[in-house]
């Protein structure tokens, strides 16, 4: 999973920052080239030669040149200031309403809540295209940093001190994000995906997430459901319809609707899930889910159950 390129913004917020960066780079490049050129010319043209005048005999002081080389940098800095202030205003407008999405950083995954609808997701965030969304950023443990480079600015998630950013997607697509602040040994596997959906697709997704999971009739899935509710799973995970409501680990209600698990560490397939349940520490060493020493049939039943959670 590759982090989305920062120089290919797909939101007005990210575009504003990209502009500041490009303008700053171009202006600096011209200044660098100009200064280098002048130094090179001066070194060649005015180098000491036999018979050249002594230093103290050279005339000093030229009001016109001095005014020019004071005024020009002042104008350049003023221009950069204006571009920066505009970028800041566009990428980080003042907050005027309740958050659309609340993202909470955990070691090492993302909890994504939609307060208006009540949907709770993990690691995969769906947003409607063309809507400016106010995202509130929180942390459950240490300092994390929410960063979806193509969609908006980077922002720390500080325990006990909610931060906020605006993001908006100009076009539908899938955009990668990651934690941008070292937060422990699985910091590198604290990825997330933003799915920018058309408003219809987003509404459909939200409705699907709100629907209770289908009842498990019989077979391995039913056995898996029993294991889920009787083993220690419920101490950390929430799963609507089973009574499990803990928030220490990802909400599993619509687990099978996600394309990855473990904050991007693995594709969400039966094989990968089997390996994960055998020993999560094999796949994501240091993660807070311990090896429960499950028997092969227990793993198979749990996988069968999780696969039904569409
Ligand atoms: Cu969370 Cu790095």
């Amino acid at each position: 999973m590759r982090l989305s390129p920062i120089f290919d913004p797909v939101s007005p917020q990210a575009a504003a920052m990209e502009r500041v960066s490009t303008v700053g780079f171009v202006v600096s490049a011209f200044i660098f080239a100009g200064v280098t050129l002048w130094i090179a010319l001066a070194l060649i043209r005015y180098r000491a030669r036999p018979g050249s005048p002594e230093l103290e005999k050279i005339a000093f002081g030229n009001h016109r040149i001095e005014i020019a080389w004071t005024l020009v940098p002042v104008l350049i800095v003023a221009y950069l200031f204006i571009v920066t202030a505009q970028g800041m205003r566009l990428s980080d407008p003042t907050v005027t309403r309740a958050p659309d999405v609340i993202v909470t950083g955990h070691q090492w995954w993302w909890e994504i809540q939609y307060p208006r609808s009540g949907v709770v997701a993990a690691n995969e965030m769906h947003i409607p295209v063309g809507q400016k969304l106010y995202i509130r950023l929180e942390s459950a443990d240490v300092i994390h940093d929410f960063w979806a480079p193509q969609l908006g600015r980077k922002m720390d998630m500080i325990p006990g001190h909610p931060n906020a950013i605006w993001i908006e997607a100009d076009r539908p697509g899938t955009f990668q994000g990651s934690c941008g602040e070292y937060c422990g040994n699985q910091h590198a596997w604290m990825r997330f995906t933003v799915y920018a959906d058309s408003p219809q697709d987003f509404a459909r997704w939200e409705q699907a997430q709100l629907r209770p999971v289908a009842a498990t009739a019989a077979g391995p899935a039913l056995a898996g459901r029993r294991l889920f509710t009787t083993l220690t799973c419920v101490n950390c995970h929430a799963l609507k319809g089973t009574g499990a409501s803990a928030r220490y680990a990802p909400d599993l209600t619509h687990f099978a609707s996600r394309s990855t698990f473990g904050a991007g560490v693995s594709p969400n397939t039966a094989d990968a899930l089997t390996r994960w349940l055998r020993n999560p520490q094999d796949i994501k060493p240091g993660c807070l889910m311990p090896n429960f020493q499950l028997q092969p049939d227990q793993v198979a039943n749990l996988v069968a159950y999780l696969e039904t959670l569409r």
Side-chain angles (χ1 to χ4, degrees):
M1 201 158 61
R2 197 166 64 96
L3 195 62
S4 306
I6 194 166
F7 287 108
D8 182 19
V10 293
S11 75
Q13 293 78 31
M17 292 187 296
E18 196 265 347
R19 182 167 171 260
V20 173
S21 156
T22 305
V23 168
F25 177 79
V26 169
V27 169
S28 308
F30 268 104
I31 293 172
F32 177 76
V35 169
T36 310
L37 199 69
W38 274 108
I39 290 175
L41 279 177
L43 283 174
I44 295 161
R45 174 80 179 74
Y46 301 107
R47 71 181 186 275
R49 291 189 188 86
S52 51
E54 297 296 312
L55 197 58
E56 57 268 26
K57 289 184 193 143
I58 298 170
F60 280 98
N62 181 323
H63 278 294
R64 265 192 216 155
I65 291 177
E66 281 171 22
I67 288 168
W69 75 39
T70 307
L71 206 60
V72 170
V74 166
L75 291 176
I76 292 173
V77 171
Y79 172 66
L80 289 176
F81 173 77
I82 291 166
V83 170
T84 307
Q86 274 178 342
M88 286 165 75
R89 195 174 52 81
L90 287 169
S91 65
D92 202 20
T94 342
V95 177
T96 49
R97 56 179 154 113
D100 299 293
V101 187
I102 301 171
V103 181
T104 307
H106 292 255
Q107 281 177 319
W108 291 275
W109 61 282
W110 309 84
E111 182 180 15
I112 298 151
Q113 290 167 270
Y114 297 78
R116 260 193 296 279
S117 63
V119 167
V120 182
N123 304 325
E124 296 186 6
M125 179 172 170
H126 285 253
I127 59 169
V129 157
Q131 268 183 47
K132 211 162 110 179
L133 300 169
Y134 172 49
I135 317 278
R136 187 167 133 132
L137 301 170
E138 299 181 0
S139 168
D141 36 49
V142 300
I143 299 180
H144 300 280
D145 187 297
F146 181 90
W147 193 31
Q150 281 179 287
L151 294 172
R153 63 183 293 194
K154 225 167 156 231
M155 182 60 88
D156 272 4
M157 312 168 98
I158 300 163
H161 179 92
N163 269 336
I165 53 162
W166 291 93
I167 64 172
E168 174 180 353
D170 296 330
R171 58 169 169 88
T174 306
F175 308 106
Q176 305 300 339
S178 80
C179 180
E181 177 79 36
Y182 182 72
C183 56
N185 52 0
Q186 285 298 333
H187 158 71
W189 279 117
M190 192 164 163
R191 300 291 189 88
F192 61 95
T193 306
V194 180
Y195 293 94
D197 302 329
S198 69
Q200 298 85 329
D201 285 349
F202 176 76
R204 214 171 296 140
W205 173 81
E206 208 168 41
Q207 284 312 311
Q209 294 289 309
L210 284 172
R211 225 170 286 144
V213 289
T216 20
L222 186 63
R225 184 187 152 104
R226 268 195 216 113
L227 284 170
F228 179 83
T229 50
T230 49
L231 295 175
T232 47
C233 315
V234 292
N235 292 346
C236 293
H237 291 283
L239 207 165
K240 273 185 212 117
T242 63
S245 60
R247 301 294 277 277
Y248 301 107
D251 186 307
L252 298 177
T253 309
H254 290 281
F255 177 76
S257 72
R258 299 173 199 151
S259 58
T260 60
F261 68 81
V265 78
S266 178
N268 192 0
T269 62
D271 280 355
L273 211 49
T274 304
R275 286 207 300 135
W276 175 269
L277 289 175
R278 260 189 227 139
N279 184 8
Q281 300 296 323
D282 264 356
I283 297 183
K284 201 166 173 177
C287 80
L288 300 191
M289 179 162 167
N291 180 355
F292 286 105
Q293 316 283 345
L294 299 169
Q295 299 305 310
D297 61 314
Q298 291 182 311
V299 169
N301 290 342
L302 280 167
V303 170
Y305 176 51
L306 288 169
E307 296 253 286
T308 64
L309 304 174
R310 293 249 139 243

